[in-house]
Amino acid sequence: MTSITSEELTIPVNEPVLGTSELAYVREAVETGWISSDGRFVGEFERAFAAFCRRRHGVAVCNGSAALEVATAAVNLQPGDEVILPTFTIIACATAIIERGAIPVLVDSEPDTWNMDTHQIADRITPRTRAIMPVHMYGHPVDMDPLLELAEAHHLLVIEDAAEVHGAEYRGRRCGSLGDISTFSFYANKIVTTGEGGMLVTDDDALAERCRLHRNLCFQGPRRFVHQELGRNFRMTNLQAAVGVAQMERIEESIAKKRWIGQSYTERLQGIPGLLLPIERPWAKHVYWVYGLILDDTVLFDATEFARRLAARGVQTRPFFWPMHEQPVFRQMGLFLNERYPVAERLARRGLYLPSGMALTESQLGYVCDAVRAVLKV
Ligand SMILES: Cc1ncc(COP(=O)(O)O)c(C=O)c1O
């Protein structure tokens, strides 16, 4: 057994690392009174993050779900428009489409990258299709070229959900630079965090302007309280952005830490019967936002039982996403009835992720691997 001290139990699924710069910048925001969405840090964070994504514009918002809603509003998605997305994703993706009266159209996932199978998109395109929403899953980029070719051929928008993949690359191109508009989350478990937070990035000047409008109640024109469109208040505060600016100062270090966690887990867990581990395609830079595992058919229990047994050994985990076509809320709305996506259904039932937070230590990682072996009795 790898040794571990008692205070390290339970090992949390995520723990952020916040340093002295975060504290200094938040202190500055508090001391100067700039605590709402005005103040120097919001613009600084937007510029730093957009530059990191190799984009012209960054528009900070209050979370990644809001970023998706601003994106679908900014591109003017209309009732009846169809958007193609993976069924295996977080509900925020589908919500941002449905909020506009538009229709989510699903595709299944690849069994090994857990990303949307971009070869299934062509069959789902209809005259009503307006956009494709790729979602890079758990740190690994989507195979974007087939998707981008279809988008170009059919004049479709690409709304890229890069919430989980800060710094990941597809054929040398950074995730977040691959859509007409791309969104991020900065929740506490993300590679760059602001506690709660999100951002849209784009190269399109007019689209960026529409994002700024839609994060801010669509205040527009000479009479501030006279509105041409409906918007929401999705602004990020200067307090959050202060944390973000500090986090950007060590983003490369954070990505390196995540890759170390991912590669270390793989080294220690590979060869264990019953487990399917994450893969990294030759064209991908995986950032291992979280480290997922799938139980194969030789294991006689499911991911819920796996999680319970790991928890009994002091290891916290999280289940994988539950597919959109199996969501009771969407079934009640008459969506996705009789649709089946076997890969996603399997991932949901057989997958979970291990402690993968920025603060994870080598001894904790070793302990987790020992617990996985013990639960699988190898
Ligand atoms: C792929 C994806 N999109 C969107 C979101 C929503 O982000 P937030 O939790 O900041 O609202 C998440 C959250 O983790 C996510 O994983």
Side-chain angles (χ1 to χ4, degrees):
M1 282 290 283
T2 307
S3 68
I4 193 155
T5 57
S6 57
E7 68 269 17
E8 284 175 296
L9 291 171
T10 295
I11 299 173
V13 74
N14 175 65
E15 203 180 339
V17 171
L18 301 167
T20 49
S21 293
E22 280 85 342
L23 206 53
Y25 298 159
V26 170
R27 175 182 286 275
E28 182 189 316
V30 170
E31 285 178 350
T32 57
W34 293 103
I35 56 169
S36 294
S37 54
D38 293 325
R40 79 175 179 102
F41 291 116
V42 176
E44 253 180 60
F45 182 42
E46 288 176 336
R47 283 187 292 278
F49 196 77
F52 173 77
C53 295
R54 303 170 189 151
R55 289 292 216 173
R56 278 165 65 81
H57 302 282
V59 180
V61 291
C62 55
N63 58 60
S65 307
L68 287 164
E69 291 195 28
V70 169
T72 55
V75 302
N76 209 6
L77 207 61
Q78 293 291 311
D81 285 350
E82 294 177 0
V83 181
I84 300 173
L85 76 162
T87 187
F88 185 68
T89 186
I90 192 163
I91 199 164
C93 301
T95 307
I97 296 164
I98 290 169
E99 275 271 306
R100 306 292 306 168
I103 301 162
V105 174
L106 305 176
V107 298
D108 207 351
S109 302
E110 298 175 331
D112 50 2
T113 66
W114 316 329
N115 274 317
M116 81 191 291
D117 183 346
T118 54
H119 296 96
Q120 294 184 19
I121 294 172
D123 284 348
R124 304 294 274 153
I125 294 174
T126 75
R128 311 212 63 164
T129 309
R130 266 291 304 291
I132 310 174
M133 184 185 280
V135 186
H136 307 289
M137 198 51 62
Y138 298 150
H140 192 290
V142 170
D143 185 9
M144 290 295 287
D145 278 347
L147 183 154
L148 293 172
E149 280 161 26
L150 283 171
E152 198 178 341
H154 295 266
H155 309 290
L156 306 176
L157 289 161
V158 177
I159 301 170
E160 180 190 12
D161 185 345
E164 305 178 354
V165 287
H166 312 183
E169 288 176 13
Y170 175 70
R171 298 188 190 280
R173 297 153 70 193
R174 197 150 266 174
C175 290
S177 71
L178 301 164
D180 295 286
I181 191 160
S182 309
T183 65
F184 286 90
S185 164
F186 304 121
Y187 181 66
N189 62 5
K190 298 302 189 296
I191 293 175
V192 169
T193 184
T194 59
E196 298 282 354
M199 192 154 339
L200 300 107
V201 293
T202 182
D203 292 324
D204 183 320
D205 298 352
L207 205 48
E209 206 37 56
R210 282 189 57 75
C211 291
R212 291 195 187 97
L213 203 62
H214 275 274
R215 78 164 163 195
N216 191 24
L217 289 168
C218 289
F219 285 127
Q220 195 180 17
R223 278 303 299 259
R224 181 171 175 83
F225 296 109
V226 176
H227 299 265
Q228 308 298 329
E229 276 188 83
L230 281 182
R232 309 284 175 89
N233 173 359
F234 284 152
R235 300 183 299 255
M236 175 182 274
T237 68
N238 200 44
L239 289 166
Q240 292 164 290
V243 175
V245 168
Q247 292 265 302
M248 288 309 290
E249 290 173 0
R250 54 163 197 282
I251 184 168
E252 295 299 346
E253 209 180 298
S254 303
I255 293 165
K257 174 77 189 262
K258 285 288 192 184
R259 281 183 60 79
W260 173 82
I261 291 172
Q263 287 160 356
S264 304
Y265 270 133
T266 296
E267 269 165 34
R268 291 171 195 233
L269 297 174
Q270 67 193 354
I272 296 184
L275 282 186
L276 302 173
L277 307 181
I279 63 150
E280 186 176 35
R281 292 249 197 268
W283 43 254
K285 179 177 178 185
H286 197 328
V287 287
Y288 298 94
W289 167 56
V290 294
Y291 193 88
L293 294 176
I294 308 287
L295 298 174
D296 75 15
D297 289 337
T298 64
V299 178
L300 299 178
F301 48 81
D302 66 5
T304 307
E305 177 60 16
F306 192 27
R308 200 190 60 72
R309 293 185 190 193
L310 286 170
R313 291 172 181 271
V315 175
Q316 203 183 38
T317 59
R318 281 279 181 283
F320 268 18
F321 292 127
W322 198 255
M324 294 306 101
H325 69 284
E326 294 197 286
Q327 294 290 343
V329 63
F330 293 146
R331 291 273 168 95
Q332 285 155 27
M333 294 165 78
L335 286 169
F336 317 131
L337 301 176
N338 306 316
E339 294 184 25
R340 298 298 304 271
Y341 300 95
V343 177
E345 288 170 23
R346 195 178 152 70
L347 295 177
R349 287 161 178 80
R350 309 293 293 176
L352 56 64
Y353 63 83
L354 298 176
S356 317
M358 210 57 85
L360 192 72
T361 65
E362 191 164 8
S363 70
Q364 286 178 319
L365 189 142
Y367 180 88
V368 171
C369 294
D370 289 342
V372 168
R373 281 180 190 281
V375 165
L376 292 171
K377 302 198 168 43
V378 287

